[in-house]
Structure formats: structure tokens, C-alpha cells
Amino acid sequence: MKTITVKDMMVELAEYAIVTEDATLVDAIVALEKAQKEFDPARHRHRAILVLDRNKKVVGKISMLDVLRGLEPKYGKIKVNGVLSRTGFSS
């Protein structure tokens, strides 16, 4: 059995969707969409956006769940068979 290392599985920082900490949610979604189109989807499924400060230091990340919460603040309280049908989203 082949040993798989963390390096074999990691996404390089240069391939991440990146925004600055003063970006809008729309900016973050656009950056994520761009990263998903530009990099090999068979190898990487971008599901996070890195947030940089003025010194280009990573200070945080935004996950897909964070994006959903930003779009629908009541996301965690919706209980409709596990989907967001009341807000116009489908499974």
C-alpha cells in the first residue's frame, strides 16, 4: 500500500480563492467561483476562501457554510427535510 502524505493532498496557497479582509461577500463568492474554474477540479474542490490582511498574511478563512450563513442568516434554524426550500434553495 502506498503511503499518502499531507503534501500529496494539500491545496497550495497560490491555488486558493483569496480575498482581503475588507472584501464583500460577493467578492468572496466571485473569487471562489474563479478558483473552481481555473484549477483542476479532479484534484481540488475549492470549498474555502482565504482572507488576507494588508500585509498579505492569512488571517482567516470563509467556508461554504459561512457563505450560506451570510446569504441566509437563519440557515441553521431552517428544518425542512434538510434542504433550504423555504428560501429558494433546493437540495
Side-chain angles (χ1 to χ4, degrees):
M1 184 167 119
K2 180 183 173 193
T3 300
I4 299 173
T5 65
V6 170
K7 185 176 181 176
D8 296 331
M9 299 188 67
M10 74 176 192
V11 176
E12 294 183 33
L13 286 178
E15 294 184 12
Y16 262 91
I18 296 173
V19 295
T20 59
E21 57 191 343
D22 61 343
T24 66
L25 180 57
V26 172
D27 294 334
I29 293 169
V30 169
L32 181 59
E33 183 178 40
K34 182 179 176 192
Q36 288 174 335
K37 288 179 181 176
E38 289 183 357
F39 297 102
D40 183 4
R43 183 162 183 249
H44 305 302
R45 295 208 173 200
H46 292 274
R47 294 188 178 124
I49 304 144
L50 297 181
V51 181
L52 306 181
D53 66 9
R54 288 183 222 154
N55 299 317
K56 297 192 179 191
K57 178 183 172 191
V58 176
V59 293
K61 76 170 181 76
I62 301 170
S63 70
M64 291 300 290
L65 185 56
D66 296 327
V67 170
L68 286 173
R69 285 184 185 132
L71 293 172
E72 175 49 68
K74 295 180 183 176
Y75 171 76
K77 297 177 183 178
I78 298 170
K79 303 288 184 195
V80 184
N81 298 330
V83 297
L84 296 173
S85 62
R86 288 188 189 166
T87 59
F89 291 101
S90 67
S91 59

Coordinates of all heavy atoms in Angstrom, one line a residue:
M1 N 0.8 -1.2 0.0 CA 0.0 0.0 0.0 C 0.9 1.2 0.0 O 1.8 1.4 0.8 CB -0.9 0.0 1.2 CG -1.8 1.1 1.3 SD -3.1 0.9 2.5 CE -2.8 2.3 3.5
K2 N 0.5 2.2 -0.9 CA 1.3 3.4 -1.0 C 1.0 4.3 0.2 O -0.1 4.5 0.6 CB 1.0 4.1 -2.3 CG 1.7 5.4 -2.5 CD 1.3 6.1 -3.8 CE 2.0 7.4 -3.8 NZ 1.5 8.3 -4.8
T3 N 2.0 5.0 0.7 CA 1.9 5.9 1.8 C 1.5 7.3 1.1 O 2.2 7.8 0.3 CB 3.2 6.1 2.6 OG1 3.5 4.9 3.2 CG2 3.0 7.2 3.7
I4 N 0.4 7.9 1.6 CA 0.0 9.2 1.1 C 0.4 10.2 2.1 O 0.1 10.1 3.3 CB -1.5 9.2 0.9 CG1 -1.9 8.1 -0.1 CG2 -2.0 10.6 0.5 CD1 -3.4 8.0 -0.3
T5 N 1.1 11.2 1.7 CA 1.5 12.3 2.6 C 0.5 13.5 2.5 O -0.3 13.6 1.6 CB 2.9 12.8 2.2 OG1 2.8 13.4 0.9 CG2 3.9 11.7 2.2
V6 N 0.6 14.3 3.5 CA -0.2 15.5 3.5 C 0.1 16.4 2.3 O -0.8 17.0 1.7 CB 0.1 16.3 4.8 CG1 -0.6 17.7 4.8 CG2 -0.3 15.5 6.0
K7 N 1.4 16.5 1.9 CA 1.7 17.2 0.7 C 1.0 16.7 -0.6 O 0.6 17.5 -1.4 CB 3.2 17.2 0.5 CG 3.7 18.1 -0.6 CD 5.2 18.1 -0.8 CE 5.6 19.0 -1.9 NZ 7.0 19.2 -2.0
D8 N 0.8 15.4 -0.7 CA 0.1 14.8 -1.8 C -1.4 15.3 -1.9 O -2.0 15.4 -2.9 CB 0.1 13.3 -1.7 CG 1.4 12.7 -1.8 OD1 2.3 13.3 -2.5 OD2 1.6 11.6 -1.3
M9 N -2.0 15.7 -0.7 CA -3.4 16.0 -0.7 C -3.6 17.5 -0.5 O -4.8 17.9 -0.7 CB -4.0 15.3 0.5 CG -3.9 13.8 0.4 SD -4.8 12.9 1.6 CE -6.5 13.4 1.1
M10 N -2.6 18.3 -0.2 CA -2.9 19.7 0.1 C -3.2 20.5 -1.1 O -2.8 20.2 -2.2 CB -1.7 20.3 0.9 CG -0.5 20.5 0.0 SD 0.8 21.3 0.9 CE 1.9 21.8 -0.4
V11 N -3.8 21.6 -0.9 CA -4.0 22.6 -1.9 C -3.0 23.7 -1.6 O -3.0 24.3 -0.5 CB -5.5 23.2 -1.9 CG1 -5.7 24.3 -2.9 CG2 -6.5 22.1 -2.1
E12 N -2.2 24.0 -2.6 CA -1.2 25.1 -2.4 C -1.9 26.4 -2.2 O -3.0 26.7 -2.8 CB -0.3 25.1 -3.6 CG 0.6 23.9 -3.7 CD 1.6 24.0 -4.9 OE1 2.1 25.1 -5.2 OE2 1.9 22.9 -5.5
L13 N -1.3 27.3 -1.4 CA -1.9 28.6 -1.1 C -2.2 29.4 -2.4 O -3.2 30.1 -2.5 CB -1.0 29.4 -0.2 CG -1.0 29.0 1.3 CD1 0.0 29.8 2.1 CD2 -2.4 29.0 1.9
A14 N -1.3 29.3 -3.4 CA -1.5 30.0 -4.6 C -2.7 29.6 -5.4 O -3.2 30.4 -6.2 CB -0.3 29.8 -5.5
E15 N -3.3 28.4 -5.1 CA -4.4 27.9 -5.8 C -5.8 28.2 -5.1 O -6.8 28.0 -5.6 CB -4.3 26.4 -6.0 CG -3.2 26.1 -7.0 CD -3.1 24.6 -7.3 OE1 -4.1 23.9 -7.0 OE2 -2.1 24.2 -7.9
Y16 N -5.7 28.8 -3.9 CA -6.9 29.1 -3.1 C -7.6 30.3 -3.6 O -6.9 31.2 -4.2 CB -6.5 29.3 -1.6 CG -6.8 28.1 -0.8 CD1 -5.8 27.2 -0.5 CD2 -8.0 27.9 -0.2 CE1 -6.0 26.1 0.2 CE2 -8.2 26.8 0.6 CZ -7.2 25.9 0.8 OH -7.4 24.8 1.6
A17 N -8.9 30.4 -3.4 CA -9.6 31.6 -3.6 C -9.1 32.5 -2.5 O -9.1 32.1 -1.3 CB -11.1 31.3 -3.5
I18 N -8.8 33.8 -2.8 CA -8.3 34.7 -1.8 C -9.0 36.0 -1.9 O -9.2 36.5 -3.0 CB -6.7 34.9 -2.0 CG1 -6.0 33.6 -1.8 CG2 -6.2 36.0 -1.1 CD1 -4.6 33.6 -2.2
V19 N -9.3 36.6 -0.8 CA -9.8 38.0 -0.7 C -9.2 38.7 0.4 O -8.6 38.1 1.3 CB -11.4 38.0 -0.5 CG1 -12.1 37.4 -1.7 CG2 -11.8 37.3 0.8
T20 N -9.3 40.0 0.4 CA -8.8 40.8 1.5 C -9.9 40.9 2.6 O -11.0 40.7 2.3 CB -8.3 42.2 1.1 OG1 -9.4 42.8 0.5 CG2 -7.2 42.1 0.1
E21 N -9.5 41.3 3.8 CA -10.5 41.3 4.9 C -11.5 42.4 4.7 O -12.5 42.3 5.4 CB -9.8 41.4 6.2 CG -8.8 42.5 6.4 CD -8.0 42.4 7.7 OE1 -8.3 41.6 8.6 OE2 -7.0 43.2 7.7
D22 N -11.3 43.3 3.8 CA -12.3 44.3 3.6 C -13.2 44.0 2.4 O -14.0 44.8 2.0 CB -11.7 45.7 3.4 CG -10.7 45.8 2.3 OD1 -10.3 44.8 1.8 OD2 -10.4 46.9 1.9
A23 N -13.0 42.8 1.8 CA -13.9 42.4 0.6 C -15.3 42.2 1.1 O -15.6 41.9 2.2 CB -13.3 41.2 0.0
T24 N -16.2 42.2 0.1 CA -17.6 41.9 0.4 C -17.9 40.4 0.2 O -17.0 39.7 -0.3 CB -18.5 42.7 -0.6 OG1 -18.3 42.2 -1.9 CG2 -18.3 44.2 -0.5
L25 N -19.0 40.0 0.6 CA -19.4 38.6 0.5 C -19.5 38.2 -1.0 O -19.0 37.2 -1.4 CB -20.7 38.3 1.1 CG -21.3 36.8 1.0 CD1 -20.3 35.8 1.6 CD2 -22.6 36.7 1.7
V26 N -20.0 39.1 -1.8 CA -20.0 38.9 -3.3 C -18.6 38.8 -3.8 O -18.3 37.9 -4.7 CB -20.7 40.1 -4.0 CG1 -20.6 40.0 -5.5 CG2 -22.2 40.1 -3.6
D27 N -17.6 39.6 -3.4 CA -16.3 39.4 -3.8 C -15.7 38.0 -3.5 O -15.0 37.4 -4.3 CB -15.3 40.5 -3.1 CG -15.7 41.9 -3.5 OD1 -16.2 42.1 -4.6 OD2 -15.3 42.8 -2.7
A28 N -16.0 37.5 -2.3 CA -15.6 36.2 -1.9 C -16.2 35.1 -2.8 O -15.5 34.2 -3.2 CB -15.9 36.0 -0.4
I29 N -17.5 35.2 -3.1 CA -18.1 34.2 -3.9 C -17.6 34.2 -5.3 O -17.3 33.2 -5.9 CB -19.7 34.4 -3.9 CG1 -20.2 34.2 -2.5 CG2 -20.3 33.6 -5.0 CD1 -21.7 34.6 -2.3
V30 N -17.3 35.4 -5.9 CA -16.7 35.5 -7.2 C -15.3 34.9 -7.2 O -14.9 34.2 -8.1 CB -16.7 37.0 -7.7 CG1 -15.8 37.2 -8.9 CG2 -18.1 37.5 -7.9
A31 N -14.5 35.2 -6.2 CA -13.2 34.6 -6.1 C -13.2 33.1 -6.0 O -12.4 32.4 -6.6 CB -12.4 35.2 -4.8
L32 N -14.2 32.5 -5.2 CA -14.3 31.1 -5.1 C -14.7 30.5 -6.5 O -14.2 29.5 -6.9 CB -15.4 30.7 -4.1 CG -15.6 29.3 -3.8 CD1 -14.3 28.5 -3.4 CD2 -16.7 29.1 -2.8
E33 N -15.6 31.1 -7.2 CA -16.1 30.6 -8.5 C -14.9 30.6 -9.4 O -14.7 29.7 -10.2 CB -17.2 31.5 -9.0 CG -17.8 31.0 -10.3 CD -18.9 31.9 -10.8 OE1 -18.9 33.1 -10.7 OE2 -19.9 31.3 -11.3
K34 N -14.1 31.7 -9.4 CA -12.9 31.8 -10.3 C -11.9 30.7 -10.0 O -11.4 30.0 -10.9 CB -12.3 33.1 -10.1 CG -11.1 33.4 -11.0 CD -10.5 34.7 -10.8 CE -9.3 34.9 -11.7 NZ -8.5 36.1 -11.3
A35 N -11.7 30.4 -8.7 CA -10.7 29.4 -8.3 C -11.2 28.0 -8.8 O -10.5 27.1 -9.2 CB -10.5 29.4 -6.8
Q36 N -12.5 27.8 -8.7 CA -13.1 26.5 -9.1 C -13.0 26.3 -10.6 O -12.8 25.1 -11.0 CB -14.6 26.4 -8.7 CG -14.7 26.2 -7.2 CD -16.2 26.3 -6.7 OE1 -17.0 26.8 -7.4 NE2 -16.4 25.7 -5.6
K37 N -13.0 27.3 -11.4 CA -12.9 27.2 -12.8 C -11.4 27.1 -13.3 O -11.1 26.4 -14.3 CB -13.5 28.4 -13.5 CG -15.0 28.4 -13.5 CD -15.6 29.7 -14.1 CE -17.1 29.7 -14.1 NZ -17.6 30.9 -14.6
E38 N -10.5 27.8 -12.6 CA -9.1 27.8 -13.0 C -8.3 26.6 -12.7 O -7.3 26.4 -13.3 CB -8.4 29.1 -12.5 CG -9.0 30.4 -13.1 CD -8.2 31.6 -12.6 OE1 -7.4 31.5 -11.7 OE2 -8.6 32.7 -13.1
F39 N -8.6 25.9 -11.6 CA -7.7 24.9 -11.2 C -8.4 23.5 -11.4 O -9.6 23.4 -11.5 CB -7.3 25.1 -9.7 CG -6.5 26.3 -9.5 CD1 -7.1 27.5 -9.0 CD2 -5.2 26.4 -9.9 CE1 -6.4 28.7 -8.9 CE2 -4.5 27.6 -9.8 CZ -5.1 28.7 -9.3
D40 N -7.6 22.5 -11.4 CA -8.0 21.1 -11.7 C -9.1 20.6 -10.8 O -8.8 20.3 -9.6 CB -6.8 20.2 -11.7 CG -7.1 18.8 -12.1 OD1 -8.3 18.5 -12.5 OD2 -6.2 18.0 -12.0
P41 N -10.4 20.6 -11.2 CA -11.5 20.1 -10.4 C -11.3 18.7 -10.0 O -11.9 18.2 -9.0 CB -12.7 20.4 -11.2 CG -12.3 20.4 -12.6 CD -10.8 20.9 -12.6
A42 N -10.6 17.9 -10.7 CA -10.4 16.5 -10.4 C -9.5 16.3 -9.2 O -9.6 15.4 -8.4 CB -9.8 15.7 -11.6
R43 N -8.7 17.3 -9.0 CA -7.7 17.3 -7.9 C -8.2 18.1 -6.7 O -8.0 17.7 -5.5 CB -6.3 17.8 -8.3 CG -5.3 17.7 -7.2 CD -3.9 17.7 -7.7 NE -3.0 17.6 -6.6 CZ -2.2 18.5 -6.1 NH1 -2.2 19.7 -6.7 NH2 -1.5 18.3 -5.1
H44 N -8.8 19.3 -6.9 CA -9.1 20.2 -5.9 C -10.6 20.6 -6.0 O -11.0 21.0 -7.1 CB -8.3 21.5 -5.9 CG -6.8 21.2 -5.8 ND1 -6.2 20.5 -4.8 CD2 -5.8 21.5 -6.7 CE1 -4.9 20.4 -5.0 NE2 -4.7 21.0 -6.2
R45 N -11.3 20.5 -5.0 CA -12.7 21.0 -4.9 C -12.6 22.2 -3.9 O -12.7 22.0 -2.7 CB -13.7 20.0 -4.5 CG -13.7 18.9 -5.5 CD -15.0 18.2 -5.5 NE -15.1 17.3 -6.6 CZ -16.2 16.9 -7.1 NH1 -17.3 17.3 -6.5 NH2 -16.2 16.1 -8.1
H46 N -12.5 23.4 -4.5 CA -12.4 24.5 -3.6 C -13.7 24.8 -2.8 O -14.7 25.0 -3.4 CB -12.0 25.8 -4.4 CG -10.6 25.7 -5.0 ND1 -9.5 26.0 -4.3 CD2 -10.1 25.2 -6.2 CE1 -8.4 25.8 -5.0 NE2 -8.8 25.3 -6.1
R47 N -13.5 24.8 -1.5 CA -14.7 25.0 -0.7 C -14.4 26.0 0.4 O -15.2 26.2 1.3 CB -15.1 23.7 0.0 CG -15.6 22.7 -1.0 CD -16.2 21.5 -0.4 NE -16.7 20.5 -1.3 CZ -16.3 19.3 -1.4 NH1 -15.4 18.8 -0.6 NH2 -16.8 18.5 -2.4
A48 N -13.3 26.7 0.3 CA -13.0 27.7 1.3 C -12.3 28.9 0.6 O -11.7 28.7 -0.5 CB -12.0 27.1 2.3
I49 N -12.4 30.0 1.2 CA -11.8 31.2 0.7 C -10.9 31.8 1.8 O -11.3 31.9 3.0 CB -12.9 32.3 0.4 CG1 -13.9 31.7 -0.6 CG2 -12.3 33.6 -0.1 CD1 -15.3 32.2 -0.3
L50 N -9.6 32.0 1.5 CA -8.6 32.5 2.5 C -8.8 34.0 2.5 O -9.0 34.7 1.5 CB -7.2 32.1 2.1 CG -6.9 30.6 2.1 CD1 -5.4 30.4 1.7 CD2 -7.2 30.0 3.4
V51 N -8.7 34.6 3.7 CA -8.8 36.0 3.9 C -7.4 36.5 4.3 O -6.8 36.0 5.3 CB -9.8 36.3 5.0 CG1 -10.0 37.8 5.2 CG2 -11.2 35.7 4.7
L52 N -7.0 37.6 3.6 CA -5.6 38.2 3.9 C -5.8 39.6 4.4 O -6.7 40.3 4.1 CB -4.8 38.3 2.6 CG -4.7 37.0 1.7 CD1 -3.8 37.3 0.5 CD2 -4.0 35.9 2.5
D53 N -4.8 39.9 5.3 CA -4.7 41.3 5.8 C -3.9 42.2 4.8 O -3.5 41.7 3.8 CB -4.2 41.3 7.2 CG -2.7 40.9 7.4 OD1 -2.0 40.8 6.3 OD2 -2.3 40.8 8.5
R54 N -3.6 43.4 5.2 CA -2.9 44.3 4.4 C -1.5 43.9 4.0 O -0.9 44.2 3.0 CB -2.8 45.7 5.0 CG -4.1 46.4 5.0 CD -4.0 47.8 5.6 NE -5.2 48.0 6.4 CZ -5.2 48.8 7.4 NH1 -4.1 49.5 7.8 NH2 -6.3 48.9 8.1
N55 N -0.9 43.0 4.9 CA 0.4 42.5 4.7 C 0.4 41.2 4.0 O 1.5 40.5 4.0 CB 1.1 42.4 6.1 CG 1.2 43.7 6.8 OD1 1.6 44.7 6.2 ND2 0.9 43.7 8.1
K56 N -0.7 40.8 3.4 CA -0.9 39.6 2.7 C -0.7 38.3 3.6 O -0.3 37.3 3.1 CB 0.0 39.5 1.5 CG -0.4 40.6 0.5 CD 0.3 40.4 -0.8 CE -0.2 41.6 -1.7 NZ 0.1 41.4 -3.1
K57 N -0.9 38.5 4.9 CA -0.9 37.4 5.8 C -2.3 36.8 5.9 O -3.3 37.5 6.0 CB -0.4 37.9 7.2 CG -0.3 36.8 8.2 CD 0.1 37.4 9.6 CE -0.1 36.4 10.6 NZ 0.1 36.9 12.0
V58 N -2.3 35.4 5.9 CA -3.6 34.8 6.1 C -4.1 35.0 7.5 O -3.4 34.7 8.5 CB -3.5 33.3 5.8 CG1 -4.9 32.6 6.1 CG2 -3.1 33.0 4.4
V59 N -5.3 35.6 7.6 CA -5.9 35.9 8.9 C -7.2 35.2 9.2 O -7.7 35.2 10.3 CB -6.1 37.4 9.1 CG1 -4.8 38.2 9.2 CG2 -7.0 38.0 8.0
G60 N -7.6 34.4 8.2 CA -8.8 33.6 8.4 C -9.3 32.9 7.1 O -8.6 33.0 6.1
K61 N -10.4 32.3 7.2 CA -11.0 31.6 6.0 C -12.5 31.7 6.1 O -13.1 31.8 7.2 CB -10.5 30.2 5.9 CG -11.1 29.2 6.8 CD -10.8 27.8 6.5 CE -11.4 26.8 7.4 NZ -12.8 26.6 7.2
I62 N -13.1 31.6 5.0 CA -14.6 31.6 4.9 C -14.9 30.2 4.2 O -14.4 29.9 3.2 CB -15.1 32.7 4.0 CG1 -14.7 34.1 4.6 CG2 -16.6 32.6 3.9 CD1 -15.0 35.2 3.7
S63 N -15.8 29.5 4.9 CA -16.2 28.2 4.4 C -17.5 28.3 3.6 O -18.1 29.4 3.6 CB -16.4 27.2 5.5 OG -17.6 27.6 6.2
M64 N -17.9 27.3 2.9 CA -19.1 27.3 2.1 C -20.3 27.5 3.1 O -21.3 28.2 2.8 CB -19.3 26.0 1.4 CG -18.4 25.9 0.2 SD -18.5 27.2 -1.0 CE -20.1 26.9 -1.7
L65 N -20.2 26.9 4.3 CA -21.3 27.1 5.3 C -21.3 28.6 5.7 O -22.4 29.1 5.9 CB -21.0 26.2 6.5 CG -22.1 26.2 7.6 CD1 -23.5 25.9 7.0 CD2 -21.7 25.3 8.7
D66 N -20.2 29.2 5.9 CA -20.1 30.7 6.2 C -20.8 31.5 5.1 O -21.6 32.4 5.4 CB -18.7 31.2 6.4 CG -18.0 30.5 7.5 OD1 -18.6 30.2 8.5 OD2 -16.8 30.3 7.4
V67 N -20.6 31.1 3.8 CA -21.2 31.8 2.7 C -22.8 31.6 2.8 O -23.5 32.6 2.7 CB -20.7 31.3 1.4 CG1 -21.6 31.9 0.2 CG2 -19.3 31.7 1.2
L68 N -23.2 30.4 3.1 CA -24.7 30.2 3.2 C -25.2 31.0 4.4 O -26.3 31.6 4.2 CB -24.9 28.7 3.4 CG -24.8 27.8 2.2 CD1 -24.9 26.3 2.6 CD2 -25.8 28.2 1.1
R69 N -24.5 31.0 5.5 CA -25.0 31.8 6.6 C -25.1 33.3 6.3 O -26.0 34.0 6.7 CB -24.1 31.6 7.8 CG -24.3 30.3 8.5 CD -23.4 30.2 9.7 NE -23.5 28.9 10.3 CZ -22.5 28.2 10.7 NH1 -21.3 28.7 10.6 NH2 -22.7 27.0 11.2
G70 N -24.1 33.8 5.4 CA -24.2 35.2 5.0 C -25.3 35.5 4.1 O -25.9 36.6 4.2
L71 N -25.7 34.5 3.3 CA -26.8 34.7 2.3 C -28.1 34.5 3.0 O -29.1 35.2 2.7 CB -26.7 33.7 1.2 CG -25.5 33.9 0.2 CD1 -25.4 32.7 -0.7 CD2 -25.6 35.2 -0.5
E72 N -28.2 33.6 4.0 CA -29.4 33.4 4.7 C -29.1 33.2 6.2 O -28.7 32.2 6.7 CB -30.1 32.1 4.2 CG -31.3 31.6 5.0 CD -32.3 32.8 5.2 OE1 -32.9 33.2 4.3 OE2 -32.5 33.2 6.4
P73 N -29.2 34.3 7.0 CA -28.8 34.3 8.4 C -29.5 33.3 9.2 O -29.0 32.9 10.2 CB -29.1 35.8 8.8 CG -29.1 36.6 7.6 CD -29.6 35.7 6.5
K74 N -30.7 32.9 8.8 CA -31.5 31.9 9.6 C -31.2 30.5 9.1 O -31.9 29.6 9.4 CB -33.0 32.2 9.4 CG -33.4 33.5 10.1 CD -34.9 33.8 9.9 CE -35.2 35.1 10.5 NZ -36.6 35.4 10.3
Y75 N -30.1 30.3 8.3 CA -29.8 29.0 7.7 C -29.8 27.8 8.8 O -30.4 26.8 8.5 CB -28.4 29.0 7.1 CG -27.9 27.7 6.7 CD1 -28.4 27.1 5.5 CD2 -26.9 27.0 7.4 CE1 -28.0 25.9 5.1 CE2 -26.5 25.8 7.0 CZ -27.0 25.2 5.8 OH -26.5 24.0 5.5
G76 N -29.2 28.0 9.9 CA -29.2 27.0 10.9 C -30.5 26.7 11.6 O -30.7 25.6 12.2
K77 N -31.5 27.5 11.4 CA -32.8 27.3 12.1 C -33.8 26.7 11.1 O -34.9 26.4 11.5 CB -33.3 28.7 12.6 CG -32.4 29.2 13.7 CD -32.9 30.6 14.1 CE -32.0 31.2 15.1 NZ -32.4 32.5 15.6
I78 N -33.5 26.6 9.8 CA -34.4 26.0 8.9 C -34.4 24.5 8.9 O -33.4 23.9 8.8 CB -34.1 26.5 7.4 CG1 -34.1 28.0 7.4 CG2 -35.0 25.8 6.4 CD1 -33.6 28.6 6.1
K79 N -35.6 23.9 9.1 CA -35.7 22.5 9.2 C -36.8 22.0 8.3 O -38.0 21.9 8.6 CB -36.2 22.1 10.7 CG -35.2 22.6 11.7 CD -33.9 21.8 11.7 CE -33.0 22.2 12.9 NZ -31.7 21.8 12.8
V80 N -36.4 21.8 7.0 CA -37.4 21.3 6.0 C -36.7 20.2 5.3 O -36.1 20.3 4.2 CB -37.7 22.4 5.0 CG1 -38.8 21.9 4.0 CG2 -38.2 23.7 5.7
N81 N -36.8 19.0 5.9 CA -36.2 17.8 5.3 C -34.7 18.0 4.9 O -34.3 17.5 3.9 CB -37.0 17.3 4.1 CG -38.4 16.9 4.5 OD1 -38.6 16.5 5.7 ND2 -39.3 17.1 3.7
G82 N -34.0 18.9 5.6 CA -32.6 19.1 5.4 C -32.3 20.0 4.2 O -31.1 20.1 3.8
V83 N -33.3 20.6 3.6 CA -33.0 21.5 2.4 C -33.5 22.9 2.7 O -34.2 23.1 3.7 CB -33.7 21.0 1.1 CG1 -33.1 19.6 0.7 CG2 -35.2 20.9 1.3
L84 N -33.1 23.8 1.9 CA -33.4 25.2 2.1 C -34.5 25.7 1.2 O -34.5 26.7 0.6 CB -32.1 26.1 1.8 CG -31.0 25.9 2.7 CD1 -29.8 26.6 2.2 CD2 -31.3 26.3 4.1
S85 N -35.5 24.8 1.0 CA -36.6 25.1 0.1 C -37.4 26.4 0.4 O -37.9 27.1 -0.5 CB -37.6 23.9 0.0 OG -38.2 23.7 1.2
R86 N -37.5 26.8 1.6 CA -38.3 28.0 2.0 C -37.6 29.2 1.5 O -38.2 30.3 1.4 CB -38.5 28.1 3.5 CG -39.4 27.1 4.0 CD -39.7 27.3 5.5 NE -40.5 26.2 6.0 CZ -40.7 26.0 7.3 NH1 -40.1 26.8 8.2 NH2 -41.4 25.0 7.7
T87 N -36.3 29.2 1.3 CA -35.5 30.4 0.9 C -35.2 30.4 -0.5 O -34.4 31.2 -1.0 CB -34.2 30.5 1.7 OG1 -33.5 29.3 1.5 CG2 -34.5 30.6 3.2
G88 N -35.8 29.5 -1.3 CA -35.5 29.4 -2.7 C -34.4 28.5 -3.1 O -34.1 28.4 -4.3
F89 N -33.7 27.9 -2.2 CA -32.6 27.0 -2.5 C -33.2 25.6 -2.5 O -34.1 25.3 -1.8 CB -31.5 27.0 -1.4 CG -30.7 28.3 -1.4 CD1 -31.0 29.3 -0.4 CD2 -29.7 28.5 -2.3 CE1 -30.3 30.4 -0.4 CE2 -29.0 29.7 -2.2 CZ -29.3 30.7 -1.3
S90 N -32.6 24.7 -3.3 CA -33.0 23.3 -3.3 C -31.9 22.5 -2.9 O -30.7 22.9 -2.8 CB -33.5 23.0 -4.8 OG -32.4 23.0 -5.7
S91 N -32.1 21.2 -2.8 CA -31.1 20.3 -2.4 C -30.1 20.1 -3.5 O -28.9 19.8 -3.3 CB -31.7 18.9 -2.0 OG -32.4 18.4 -3.1

